[in-house]
Amino acid sequence: RQSLPKDEHKSARRSQAMTKADSKKRQAEKQKPSAEATRVAEQILAVLNNIASIPKDSRDDFFGDFVADLASQFGLSKLRQLLEWHTESPMVQHQGFALIGQILLGRKSFKHFYAGFGDHVSAMIRKHKGTPVADTGELLLEEVA
């Protein structure tokens, strides 16, 4: 085995790691969500959106805490990933956009989690033109663009 200079060895490992990461990313992009996964995502987002829409003064403390937990950094990044993966489902997009809107309505401090998300929202408005996605997307664009 031939020994590489230290800097070249690090560079080769870094390049190999980037290639593996790029390969995983390309593979994930090729995979489409199953119809069953999409139906589950639609239902979960609908429930969360309904909970988030309950007026605070009549909301049970459990549900208020639940929505607050969802609005944590981890929850918001996962929600964004879910929407970016289920692009074919207008229901996932509509419910997700409405949920994000409800969360941002109560917590403007979370707006930075959606920096750059306007491109996805705009693309979904064009893709699902004539559906409720266009309406909720337009409202959300005012918040995240």
Side-chain angles (χ1 to χ4, degrees), residues 17 26-27 35 38-40 83-84 93 100 103 115 135 143:
R26 274 186 251 115
Q27 185 179 5
T38 299
R39 284 190 302 274
V40 169
L83 292 173
E84 290 173 344
Q93 299 303 312
I100 294 168
I103 291 169
D135 297 329
E143 295 292 327

Side-chain angles (χ1 to χ4, degrees), residues 3 8 15 19 24 32 38 56 58 62 85 91 95 98 106 118 121 126 129:
S3 169
E8 287 181 31
S15 177
T19 304
K24 284 183 180 180
K32 300 240 185 217
T38 299
K56 285 185 180 184
S58 65
F62 171 79
W85 194 42
M91 185 57 74
Q95 292 292 348
V121 176
R126 287 189 302 276
K129 191 175 183 174

Side-chain angles (χ1 to χ4, degrees), residues 38-39 41-43 45-46 83 86 88-97 128 131-133:
T38 299
R39 284 190 302 274
E42 290 170 354
Q43 294 301 313
L45 289 172
L83 292 173
H86 287 274
E88 298 301 316
S89 171
M91 185 57 74
V92 167
Q93 299 303 312
H94 169 66
Q95 292 292 348
F97 290 173
H128 299 292
T131 69
V133 174

